[in-house]
Amino acid sequence: MAIKAIALDFDGLILDTETASYLSFREICQEYGHDMPLAVWREWAGGIRTWPLACEYLEELLGKSVDREELHRHHRAIYNEMIAEWDVLPGVREVLDTAGRLGLKVALASSASAAWAVNHVKRYGLLDYFDFLQTRDNVTKVKPDPEIYLKAVDGLGVRADETIAFEDSLVGTQAAKAAGLYCVAVPNHVTANCSFDHVDIRLSSLLDMGLEDIIHTLEKGNPVPQESDI
């Protein structure tokens, strides 16, 4: 089956918001005299319940409730200051440029809200690369449910087995594979130790393998070894 499209997650794949969110909340925990282990945070990565789970975790450590609204404002201030200085992750622009040159259709497939993901896409000057924007705003279930990817490929007018998803998290890769897409996992600092045995290709960076080589590999049915085996 010839590849006709690609679909990219946003958080952790285009912009490393996963790491920024973790580091920001860890800083808050340290202000309370506690730590936020990466191994714990990793279990929540890519989902939409990260914030309430993080608050619950801190409350359990403190043995009391916290003002979640104030905590959220504090976290957001630290977080915004951090990502304001960050660029998109290495290889993102190269993948999008190559997709355009090859005439592939491109979708954003994010569990985030449009107000969040699309605004950042605009901020980095990437909006024109995308033919279709799929966020959580018009779905009933988010990742790991496949709905976001099913709607993304439908919006592009292609088949799932003609599309490659690029993801950084376990829930994202599970959603892509459940929807029938090829899936390339590109873990970030937060998700690096997750098991991605179910994906077609795992890379440490989008710079590790060009999009044309990825397409050739998948179309020929020759999966790339897992990163740990290279």
Side-chain angles (χ1 to χ4, degrees):
M1 183 65 66
I3 300 300
K4 297 180 179 179
I6 62 172
L8 284 72
D9 177 45
F10 177 73
D11 287 300
L13 189 283
I14 292 178
L15 182 64
D16 196 3
T17 54
E18 297 284 6
T19 297
S21 188
Y22 164 67
L23 293 175
S24 301
F25 198 82
R26 186 184 186 195
E27 183 174 325
I28 289 173
C29 287
Q30 290 172 341
E31 292 174 3
Y32 283 94
H34 294 280
D35 195 17
M36 178 72 252
L38 179 56
V40 175
W41 189 274
R42 183 177 292 126
E43 297 298 316
W44 310 327
I48 62 171
R49 297 201 67 245
T50 300
W51 178 253
L53 289 169
C55 290
E56 290 170 13
Y57 183 85
L58 179 58
E59 288 174 338
E60 289 178 7
L61 290 176
L62 298 175
K64 62 179 182 180
S65 61
V66 297
D67 184 338
R68 295 193 181 190
E69 289 188 10
E70 177 57 34
L71 199 68
H72 187 267
R73 283 192 291 270
H74 187 28
H75 178 260
R76 187 57 56 186
I78 299 171
Y79 174 90
N80 286 338
E81 183 177 356
M82 193 176 294
I83 65 169
E85 301 178 0
W86 292 7
D87 194 5
V88 296
L89 283 160
V92 169
R93 288 189 172 86
E94 287 83 351
V95 166
L96 293 172
D97 282 335
T98 303
R101 178 169 54 81
L102 297 177
L104 302 180
K105 294 184 177 181
V106 182
L108 183 72
S110 173
S111 288
S113 66
W116 172 257
V118 177
N119 281 348
H120 276 297
V121 167
K122 291 178 180 177
R123 182 165 73 90
Y124 286 102
L126 302 177
L127 186 62
D128 289 344
Y129 285 104
F130 293 92
D131 300 291
F132 189 76
L133 302 168
Q134 179 60 55
T135 63
R136 75 182 188 201
D137 292 25
N138 62 336
V139 297
T140 57
K141 294 182 180 179
V142 295
K143 304 171 188 176
D145 188 273
E147 185 179 2
I148 281 176
Y149 276 108
L150 292 173
K151 286 201 169 188
V153 295
D154 184 61
L156 290 177
V158 297
R159 293 163 49 118
D161 60 1
E162 297 171 331
T163 309
I164 305 171
F166 289 85
E167 278 282 356
D168 69 288
S169 70
L170 189 58
V171 296
T173 56
Q174 289 170 338
K177 294 304 294 181
L181 283 71
Y182 291 104
C183 188
V184 176
V186 192
N188 51 55
H189 175 68
V190 170
T191 60
N193 289 338
C194 293
S195 173
F196 291 101
D197 294 340
H198 55 291
V199 304
D200 299 287
I201 295 175
R202 173 175 174 163
L203 305 174
S204 61
S205 165
L206 282 173
L207 293 176
D208 286 353
M209 190 177 190
L211 180 57
E212 288 180 276
D213 289 333
I214 291 172
I215 292 171
H216 178 76
T217 297
L218 295 176
E219 288 182 341
K220 295 298 182 182
N222 300 314
V224 172
Q226 292 288 301
E227 182 184 352
S228 59
D229 297 329
I230 295 176

